[in-house]
């Protein structure tokens, strides 16, 4: 079915940041004709520089691009201090806890908290510019305060999502060589306390020699163990810190943060972002894509542990001087109307969430939205995975009342901010289509040789020119950075950035994302490397071999499907226990987010004669599709029928 177009609501176009497609095309033309001039104009306009930059883009050492060299700034100044002139008493962060408790921090209060915390980091924990600080935090204002406090003194933060296990946390701490870990006793979820500090203790039980201190924020008040000389209470120490702190003078290219994300092979990669380029695009996209106005209240439901939480809960909104809502709980507690109730209560103007949440809330509470007044909403956003047309339409009609703009924002941890997205009051949209590259982003859909694909044909989504908020490198592994993102294709002599996603462009230039082309799967909008899940499963002593693929899932988008080969046949009779044991291993190695939705025990995997696993066959079998591809190259073609029978035996299809 060809989806119909939805046109921008004329009530908002006159006041919009970008009012129509002519304005969009004019900006694109400006960027094309004078690329550096375009970015320099915005960098001068948007950033409160301590010292202006000397050059715009240095591509002499591509793909290690440098932006705005010579410029000096501080991100906490950009996000907080500079607003004290005009927005001192404006709410910067509105926090709502799982239990409904509320806290509002004005820009003045936020500035004080950030300064006190920055002093604490410097004075008590001896953190200096360039040191890495790992944050393993719940969704409480202190998480944002900590990020900004690091920025204030030039430390590099690396937030680790609170759902990761002790092992996963340790890997990231070790890789980043963190000196300080900031955590909380725990927090609340679905009305119950849960714990974080014990997970930090376990993570630090070995291999973390660089860690000198653990700073613990009190949230749920539960008892935790203290290691003398290492662990300190944030709430105690902060009382004696001064609320005055000078901002460290940072160079444009000084790293702002690392954020670990999954790749198609090996261990997670520490994606390194810069200061100036990152904040510029975070702020610009906040203003363009969410059409931010001074009195707006904006809410993004992500977790600070993911890039969306970095760019669109903390840095983007605060750089733009917005009021950003931060929510500790889950959208289904105490019922599936929680988000809609909060939209009514805080009169939210922009609401930004993941398709998984939309599908879940539709399923669990179809009629909940009508109980609340959500007329304050102007823009609805989605991110992290493709949104299917039924979910899109429900979001549009029942949450947006039929007249809100929906922005299907496509981007990645590596892009720093949105790269393909509708402009809410300019772009005619079709459900499930991310539409056009944002002004300044030179995205193209190309084939393996680097030629643009004809309309309607699937290709690889690439960005052919560097942009300010792009990944700078993978922490400690420059070679992997080059290999992961820059293939053999070049444009104007410079390497082209490969996103890892497939896409189709139509005759009008609309881009539809078709999903990953590598061994990365997307579960509930969370990126998961199949290799990571496989290496966790292999830690079970009875597992001989394993292959993990994604399988379409009605709520999560994709579910994790594992084909497991056991050592010795006799163990297979205990399947239920084995599934539980293997899932326990995954939980220990990665966390509950990587648990398998389906696990099938098979006699072997479909391998070519050279030993390569043919995952395409496994993906097709997981979906219950007939195998149409040539299987004669398999070492043992009869394995396909055997695996099919195992799936049937397990009641799969
Ligand atoms: O496959 C794309 C998918 O999410 C991947 C990036 O994941 P991550 O780095 O964790 O960042 C998620 C939040 C930005 C992409 O490679 N993705 C993201 N947004 C969309 C999407 N797929 C389809 N449509 C989107 N709007």
């Amino acid at each position: 079915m060809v989806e119909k177009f939805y046109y921008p609501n004329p009530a908002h176009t006159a006041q919009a940041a970008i009012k129509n497609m002519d304005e969009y095309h004019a900006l694109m033309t400006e960027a094309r004709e004078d690329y550096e001039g375009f970015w320099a104009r915005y960098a001068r306009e948007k950033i409160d520089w301590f010292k202006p930059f000397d050059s715009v883009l240095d591509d002499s050492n591509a793909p290690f691009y440098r932006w705005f060299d010579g410029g000096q700034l501080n991100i906490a100044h950009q996000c907080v201090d500079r607003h004290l002139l005009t927005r001192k008493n404006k709410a910067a962060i509105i926090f709502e806890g799982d239990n409904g408790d509320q806290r509002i921090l004005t820009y003045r209060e936020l500035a004080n908290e950030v300064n006190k915390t920055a002093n604490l980091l410097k004075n008590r924990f001896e953190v200096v510019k360039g040191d890495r600080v790992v944050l393993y935090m719940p969704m409480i204002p202190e998480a944002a305060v900590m990020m900004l406090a690091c920025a204030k003194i030039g430390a590099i933060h690396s937030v680790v999502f609170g759902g990761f296990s002790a092992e996963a946390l340790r890997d990231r701490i070790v890789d980043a060589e963190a000196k300080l870990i900031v955590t909380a006793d725990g927090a609340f979820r679905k009305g119950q306390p849960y714990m974080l500090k014990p997970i930090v203790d376990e993570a630090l039980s070995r291999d973390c020699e660089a860690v000198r201190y653990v700073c613990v924020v009190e949230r749920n008040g539960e008892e935790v163990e203290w290691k003398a000389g290492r662990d300190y209470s944030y709430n105690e120490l902060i009382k004696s810190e001064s609320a005055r702190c000078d901002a460290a003078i940072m160079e444009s290219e000084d790293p702002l943060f690392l954020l670990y994300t999954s790749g198609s092979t090996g261990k997670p990669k520490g994606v390194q972002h810069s200061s100036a380029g990152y904040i510029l695009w975070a702020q610009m996209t906040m203003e363009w894509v969410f059409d931010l106005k001074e009195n707006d209240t904006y809410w993004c439901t992500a977790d600070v542990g993911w890039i969306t939480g970095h760019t669109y809960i903390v840095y983007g909104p605060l750089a733009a001087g917005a009021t950003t809502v931060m929510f500790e709980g889950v959208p289904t507690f105490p019922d599936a109307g929680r988000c809609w109730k909060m939209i009514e209560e805080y009169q939210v103007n922009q609401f930004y969430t993941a398709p998984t949440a939309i599908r879940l809330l539709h399923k669990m509470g179809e009629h909940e939205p009508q109980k609340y007044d959500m007329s304050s909403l102007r823009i609805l956003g989605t991110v992290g995975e493709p949104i299917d047309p039924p979910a899109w339409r429900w979001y549009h009609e029942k949450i947006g009342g039929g007249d809100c703009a929906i922005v299907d924002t496509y981007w990645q941890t590596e892009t720093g901010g949105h790269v393909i997205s509708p402009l809410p009051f300019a772009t005619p949209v079709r459900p499930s289509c991310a539409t056009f590259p944002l002004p300044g982003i030179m995205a193209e859909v190309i084939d393996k040789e680097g030629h643009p694909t004809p309309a309607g044909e699937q290709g690889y989504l690439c960005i052919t020119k560097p942009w300010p908020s792009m990944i700078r490198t993978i922490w400690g592994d420059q070679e992997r950075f080059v290999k992961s993102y820059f293939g053999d294709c070049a444009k104007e002599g410079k390497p082209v950035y490969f996103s890892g996603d497939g896409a189709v462009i139509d005759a009008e230039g609309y881009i539809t994302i078709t999903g990953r082309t590598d061994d990365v799967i997307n579960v509930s909008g969370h990126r998961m490397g199949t290799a990571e899940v496989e290496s966790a499963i292999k830690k079970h002593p009875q597992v001989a071999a394993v292959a993990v693929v994604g399988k379409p899932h009605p709520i999560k988008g994709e579910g994790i499907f594992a084909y497991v080969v056991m050592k010795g046949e006799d163990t297979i009779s205990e399947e239920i226990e084995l599934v539980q044991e293997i899932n326990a291993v995954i939980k220990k190695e990665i966390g509950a987010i990587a648990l398998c939705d389906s696990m099938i025990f098979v006699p072997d995997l479909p391998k070519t004669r050279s030993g390569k696993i043919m995952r395409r066959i496994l993906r097709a079998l997981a979906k219950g599709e007939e195998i149409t591809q040539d299987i004669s190259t398999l070492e043992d073609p009869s394995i396909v029928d055997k695996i099919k029978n195992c799936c049937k035996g397990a009641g799969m299809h």
Side-chain angles (χ1 to χ4, degrees):
M1 178 179 133
V2 177
E3 297 289 334
K4 70 167 187 173
F5 276 102
Y6 291 76
Y7 292 89
N9 183 340
H12 303 303
T13 50
Q15 296 85 36
I18 299 179
K19 299 176 180 55
N20 50 53
M21 289 311 279
D22 289 343
E23 285 194 8
Y24 165 77
H25 290 300
L27 286 169
M28 262 305 195
T29 306
E30 181 190 341
R32 247 183 238 115
E33 287 174 357
D34 178 12
Y35 196 63
E36 292 194 18
F38 172 88
W39 288 113
R41 172 163 83 81
Y42 281 107
R44 276 189 208 106
E45 198 181 294
K46 302 289 175 191
I47 293 181
D48 196 4
W49 296 98
F50 294 164
K51 176 178 166 288
F53 50 91
D54 305 317
S55 66
V56 182
L57 169 64
D58 174 358
D59 59 5
S60 57
N61 190 25
F64 299 93
Y65 297 104
R66 299 180 65 85
W67 284 89
F68 312 120
D69 264 336
Q72 291 179 334
L73 76 169
N74 181 283
I75 300 304
H77 171 83
Q78 179 74 11
C79 291
V80 187
D81 300 351
R82 74 185 180 109
H83 299 309
L84 298 181
L85 290 175
T86 52
R87 301 183 172 108
K88 204 171 187 167
N89 297 318
K90 176 174 174 172
I93 298 177
I94 297 180
F95 167 74
E96 181 163 310
D98 180 68
N99 299 330
D101 51 324
Q102 292 174 358
R103 236 177 106 189
I104 297 178
L105 287 173
T106 61
Y107 273 95
R108 191 176 66 90
E109 288 163 331
L110 180 61
N112 288 343
E113 294 306 311
V114 169
N115 286 349
K116 285 196 262 175
T117 306
N119 283 326
L120 178 66
L121 296 182
K122 267 198 300 202
N123 302 336
R124 260 322 172 102
F125 299 123
E126 300 159 321
V127 177
V128 297
K129 186 173 166 177
D131 278 348
R132 274 80 58 209
V133 177
V134 162
L135 310 183
Y136 188 63
M137 302 276 288
M139 282 289 291
I140 55 176
E142 285 82 357
V145 168
M146 280 290 170
M147 291 161 81
L148 292 160
C150 287
K152 186 105 196 201
I153 62 169
I156 304 169
H157 62 70
S158 177
V159 185
V160 177
F161 173 57
F164 279 119
S165 69
E167 301 286 325
L169 173 60
R170 178 190 302 129
D171 287 347
R172 289 155 173 79
I173 292 172
V174 170
D175 191 78
E177 292 178 275
K179 184 178 198 177
L180 168 70
I181 314 299
V182 184
T183 188
D185 42 9
F188 297 97
R189 192 166 191 270
K190 295 191 187 170
Q192 300 298 323
Y194 71 90
M195 302 306 289
L196 289 170
K197 169 70 166 51
I199 300 174
V200 173
D201 291 337
E202 198 188 328
L204 296 185
S205 64
R206 62 177 168 88
D207 302 338
C208 296
E209 286 79 26
V211 175
R212 307 217 347 232
Y213 302 108
V214 176
C215 172
V216 186
V217 179
E218 191 181 312
R219 170 59 185 153
N220 66 14
E222 297 287 312
E223 199 64 27
V224 291
E225 283 182 18
W226 291 92
K227 189 167 173 194
R230 187 196 71 181
D231 301 349
Y232 292 89
S233 159
Y234 173 78
N235 305 64
E236 280 305 313
L237 294 181
I238 201 72
K239 287 181 196 157
S240 50
E241 292 297 342
S242 149
R244 292 181 65 90
C245 176
D246 289 335
I249 295 179
M250 305 300 290
E251 306 295 324
S252 292
E253 280 297 329
D254 279 337
L256 178 61
F257 64 83
L258 310 179
L259 185 58
Y260 285 83
T261 190
S262 297
S264 51
T265 53
K267 57 176 193 158
K269 326 180 249 200
V271 171
Q272 180 182 317
H273 278 289
S274 71
S275 295
Y278 171 80
I279 205 68
L280 174 65
W281 193 234
Q283 185 177 331
M284 284 172 70
T285 48
M286 205 50 223
E287 293 171 1
W288 281 349
V289 176
F290 294 116
D291 198 50
L292 193 75
K293 297 285 178 271
E294 189 58 45
N295 293 323
D296 283 349
T297 299
Y298 158 91
W299 180 19
C300 165
T301 67
D303 188 285
V304 281
W306 308 112
I307 190 68
T308 308
H310 283 59
T311 310
Y312 297 110
I313 293 180
V314 180
Y315 287 115
L318 296 177
T323 298
T324 178
V325 177
M326 207 173 168
F327 176 45
E328 176 188 38
V330 296
T332 50
F333 178 81
D335 57 47
R338 180 71 182 263
C339 292
W340 322 137
K341 183 167 181 276
M342 283 177 63
I343 289 172
E344 178 181 270
E345 160 120 15
Y346 300 113
Q347 301 200 347
V348 170
N349 304 99
Q350 296 93 344
F351 179 67
Y352 191 30
T353 196
T356 292
I358 299 167
R359 289 189 289 262
L360 184 70
L361 294 173
H362 182 187
K363 186 165 170 237
M364 289 187 60
E366 169 142 35
H367 303 295
E368 288 293 330
Q370 66 213 40
K371 297 186 192 158
Y372 302 98
D373 175 4
M374 292 190 275
S375 55
S376 57
L377 285 172
R378 210 163 74 239
I379 297 171
L380 298 172
T382 80
V383 58
E385 49 180 322
I387 177 164
D388 47 296
W392 194 100
R393 284 192 288 266
W394 186 74
Y395 200 32
H396 185 252
E397 280 156 35
K398 302 295 184 223
I399 311 306
D403 58 13
C404 284
I406 296 197
V407 286
D408 177 351
T409 62
Y410 166 83
W411 59 296
Q412 310 176 296
T413 305
E414 293 86 344
T415 67
H418 305 146
V419 284
I420 300 181
S421 171
L423 293 161
F425 303 118
T427 315
V429 300
R430 264 193 322 237
S432 313
C433 177
T435 74
F436 301 105
L438 288 169
I441 302 294
M442 301 302 165
E444 282 184 38
V445 184
I446 62 176
D447 62 20
K448 279 208 165 103
E449 281 73 49
H451 306 300
T453 51
E457 262 176 44
Q458 159 124 8
Y460 299 93
L461 182 68
C462 292
I463 305 178
T464 57
K465 268 182 177 290
W467 66 103
S469 69
M470 73 190 290
I471 175 176
R472 292 304 193 263
T473 188
I474 292 174
W475 181 254
D477 200 342
Q478 303 212 331
E479 202 183 312
R480 190 171 176 202
F481 165 67
V482 178
K483 264 207 197 130
S484 304
Y485 304 108
F486 301 91
D488 300 329
C489 295
K491 190 146 184 174
E492 291 159 15
K494 301 291 172 204
V496 159
Y497 172 85
F498 271 79
S499 67
D501 283 298
V504 173
I505 187 161
D506 74 7
E508 280 94 48
Y510 278 82
I511 296 175
T512 300
I513 311 297
T514 53
R516 301 287 307 192
T517 57
D518 52 10
D519 288 323
V520 168
I521 50 182
N522 195 324
V523 183
S524 303
H526 299 151
R527 194 159 142 184
M528 201 78 64
T530 52
E532 265 173 274
V533 183
E534 286 166 3
S535 70
I537 295 178
K538 277 185 204 148
K539 296 221 160 127
H540 188 286
Q542 283 167 280
V543 171
V546 56
V548 164
V549 297
K551 176 189 173 176
H553 185 283
I555 303 287
K556 299 184 194 178
E558 271 188 301
I560 302 180
F561 192 115
Y563 295 91
V564 184
V565 184
M566 303 302 292
K567 292 178 186 160
E569 304 237 332
D570 48 352
T571 48
I572 299 195
S573 54
E574 309 295 333
E575 270 188 19
I576 295 175
E577 275 161 44
L578 274 175
V579 169
Q580 283 169 353
E581 279 175 34
I582 292 174
N583 269 329
V585 174
I586 297 175
K587 206 166 166 190
K588 178 167 180 285
E589 295 294 320
I590 306 176
I593 48 169
L595 291 181
C596 291
D597 295 275
S598 322
M599 208 181 285
I600 296 285
F601 296 94
V602 292
D604 204 352
L605 299 171
K607 283 189 226 119
T608 59
R609 280 180 206 105
S610 58
K612 193 173 174 297
I613 299 169
M614 285 187 75
R615 285 163 191 283
R616 267 182 304 133
I617 294 180
L618 294 174
R619 276 194 284 268
L621 289 173
K623 285 189 206 158
E625 287 173 3
E626 278 312 311
I627 305 296
T628 49
Q629 63 243 59
D630 178 18
I631 56 170
S632 63
T633 54
L634 287 179
E635 190 184 19
D636 169 17
S638 74
I639 191 65
V640 174
D641 279 334
K642 288 183 194 153
I643 296 176
K644 230 192 242 173
N645 286 337
C646 293
C647 291
K648 272 204 196 112
M652 300 289 307
H653 307 300

